[in-house]
Amino acid sequence: MLIVGGSGFLGRELALRARAAGHDVTATYATTTHATRAEDVPGVDRLRMDLCSAAEITYVLEHSRPDVIVNAAYRKADWAVTADGAIRLAMAVAASHPGPRLVHVSSDAVFSGADVRYDESAGPDPVTAYGAAKAAAETAVRLLLPTAVIARTSLIVGDGDSVHEKAVHELAAGGREGVLFMDVVRCPVHVTDLALALLELAVSDHEGVCHLAGTDAVSRHELGVLIARRDGVDSSRLPAGRRPDPASPGDVRLDGTRTQRALRTRLRGAREFLSVR
């Protein structure tokens, strides 16, 4: 199994869970800093791979010879990685014979929020640059590799080390400026649930779009309050507000009912996995 973006928050969890399940795992990293973050996953081979380099992608595929690839790599403000890089990887997979199975991790950012609830049949209608990059990658993967899985997910939360959890602690401590939006609603998922679901899809014959999100729709502010209460932080110190750009995605709820029926892994809602310990 090749995990692209294996040094990231989700990628590292994928590597840990894949190794625990008995897979031979290679994880890629983009920079020396990322390599350092990946080093504490025992039994995982590590290879540098820049998604902007077709030569590096070819080298990694030839070196690791994976049966399955999970692409969890992205950079929010970088079209070259999030869109072009994902497309370049899909092209390399399509050109290899026999080609490995691809599970491409996408995002609820491909939706505008105009319809609020989106199931797996919903087509992208992005209104942000990041959403457009993710939608472009989805389109290329779908056309180049019809049997691939496109796994859309939402805000990814863990046990204290996600960007969302760190932001909550910094806001409560007064070490960070900003507010938690009350009018931005998502369906957060726990990183372990997400990783297990992705691995389950990776070794299945499932194909096409899947939605992997939690069952609870919560605002950014409610998510912050849930995190604060779980961690013993004073939630009254969390600043609340409304998104400054009304045209940006507000209420976007991934409906993964169809996907959940095909999985053994249960994707919990935020109110459950963030309940007070």
Side-chain angles (χ1 to χ4, degrees), residues 13-277:
E13 185 72 13
L14 279 165
L16 283 168
R17 300 295 168 177
R19 281 296 299 142
H23 297 290
D24 294 326
V25 180
T26 299
T28 73
Y29 62 90
T31 67
T32 303
T33 301
H34 294 152
T36 301
R37 290 208 303 260
E39 285 175 356
D40 60 346
V41 183
V44 173
D45 291 332
R46 299 167 195 85
L47 289 174
R48 184 186 184 280
M49 187 174 81
D50 182 354
L51 282 171
C52 296
S53 168
E56 288 193 18
I57 292 172
T58 298
Y59 171 79
V60 169
L61 292 184
E62 291 178 350
H63 182 84
S64 61
R65 298 192 178 279
D67 298 306
V68 62
I69 300 170
V70 181
N71 181 17
Y74 75 98
R75 286 186 198 146
K76 240 180 181 179
D78 194 336
W79 182 281
V81 171
T82 304
D84 294 349
I87 296 168
R88 199 173 284 112
L89 176 63
M91 290 172 64
V93 172
S96 59
H97 300 284
R101 176 169 170 77
L102 177 65
V103 176
H104 174 77
V105 181
S106 190
S107 167
D108 57 11
V110 301
F111 297 123
S112 68
D115 292 336
V116 179
R117 187 174 297 277
Y118 296 86
D119 67 14
E120 293 88 347
S121 67
D125 64 338
V127 293
T128 65
Y130 174 60
K134 279 294 193 181
E138 280 193 13
T139 299
V141 169
R142 179 172 53 81
L143 295 177
L144 288 165
L145 300 164
T147 60
V149 170
I150 296 169
R152 295 172 180 148
T153 191
S154 191
L155 304 180
I156 307 174
V157 180
D159 296 316
D161 47 357
S162 71
V163 294
H164 308 293
E165 292 158 285
K166 291 175 182 176
V168 166
H169 282 255
E170 291 169 3
L171 284 168
R176 180 189 184 110
E177 294 185 356
V179 299
L180 295 173
F181 300 134
M182 297 181 293
D183 58 345
V184 172
V185 176
R186 300 290 185 270
C187 296
V189 64
H190 194 279
V191 66
T192 299
D193 296 350
L194 177 57
L196 291 173
L198 286 168
L199 294 175
E200 192 176 335
L201 290 169
V203 299
S204 74
D205 58 1
H206 206 95
E207 57 187 56
V209 174
C210 297
H211 282 184
L212 301 177
T215 52
D216 294 331
V218 299
S219 71
R220 289 272 194 167
H221 183 262
E222 183 181 356
L223 178 62
V225 169
L226 290 169
I227 291 169
R229 288 176 178 170
R230 180 201 64 184
D231 296 344
V233 173
D234 184 359
S235 61
S236 68
R237 297 179 59 86
L238 296 175
R242 303 183 72 82
R243 68 192 194 279
D245 180 5
S248 64
D251 195 339
V252 178
R253 309 184 187 201
L254 288 187
D255 181 349
T257 304
R258 188 180 74 188
T259 301
Q260 183 67 83
R261 284 199 295 263
L263 294 173
R264 296 186 305 274
T265 302
R266 186 171 69 89
L267 299 166
R268 297 168 291 166
R271 297 187 185 97
E272 179 179 351
F273 66 72
L274 288 171
S275 59
V276 177
R277 297 163 177 163

